[in-house]
């Protein structure tokens, strides 16, 4: 059973940076795809970025490309979302999620099939 614990959210002014962390527990074997999602009040959940833990390949949504970076630290079983040049429209609850899948289903904006979710961490960007 995979468990995910996010941290690192907070309040920041526009133009600032935050780094979110997602600690992964209970992961076994390979083929784990990790994703970051966000949901703002009154809006649908949006996929932000993915990383395939076996080879580190990443995908970042166009809406945040060039500002957000996803990475992993295998020794700590942790996935990060580095968020730079934050904008008020980035304000949302951010969630990390995981699924066991092949690499092709962990990229290209395929956001479905995630079985495991963290509790979320709030990011608030003020203008």
């Amino acid at each position: 059973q995979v468990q995910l614990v996010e941290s690192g959210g907070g309040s920041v002014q526009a133009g600032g940076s935050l780094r979110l962390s997602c600690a992964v527990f209970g992961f076994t074997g390979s083929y784990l795809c990790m994703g970051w999602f966000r949901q703002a009040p009154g809006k649908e959940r949006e996929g932000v970025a993915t990383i395939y833990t076996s080879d580190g390949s990443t995908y970042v949504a166009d809406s945040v490309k060039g500002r957000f970076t996803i990475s992993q630290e295998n020794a700590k079983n942790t996935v990060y979302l580095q968020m730079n040049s934050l904008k008020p429209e980035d304000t949302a609850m951010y969630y990390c999620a995981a699924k066991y899948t092949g690499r092709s289903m962990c990229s290209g904006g395929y956001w479905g099939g995630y079985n495991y979710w963290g509790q979320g961490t709030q990011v608030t960007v003020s203008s």
Side-chain angles (χ1 to χ4, degrees):
Q1 182 78 3
V2 176
Q3 291 183 317
L4 309 174
V5 179
E6 301 105 331
S7 60
S11 297
V12 65
Q13 288 191 329
S17 298
L18 284 173
R19 188 178 77 161
L20 306 183
S21 300
C22 177
V24 184
F25 302 94
F27 162 56
T28 60
S30 303
Y31 314 118
L32 189 69
C33 173
M34 298 295 301
W36 282 100
F37 294 77
R38 65 185 182 183
Q39 188 165 21
K43 294 188 177 181
E44 293 188 355
R45 187 174 62 201
E46 174 189 15
V48 175
T50 62
I51 187 164
Y52 196 55
T53 59
S54 294
D55 62 11
S57 56
T58 63
Y59 176 84
V60 179
D62 288 343
S63 59
V64 300
K65 192 170 291 182
R67 300 188 298 120
F68 290 13
T69 304
I70 188 170
S71 63
Q72 63 181 354
E73 187 172 357
N74 292 336
K76 294 186 177 181
N77 289 334
T78 300
V79 172
Y80 302 101
L81 184 69
Q82 178 67 44
M83 306 185 294
N84 299 327
S85 302
L86 283 162
K87 305 175 181 180
E89 51 263 44
D90 294 318
T91 294
M93 186 71 80
Y94 284 71
Y95 300 90
C96 71
K99 61 180 177 181
Y100 288 102
T101 189
R103 182 158 60 92
S104 64
M105 302 300 279
C106 188
S107 63
Y110 184 77
W111 302 111
Y114 285 85
N115 310 101
Y116 308 100
W117 292 83
Q119 80 285 356
T121 186
Q122 178 68 37
V123 171
T124 302
V125 184
S126 58
S127 57

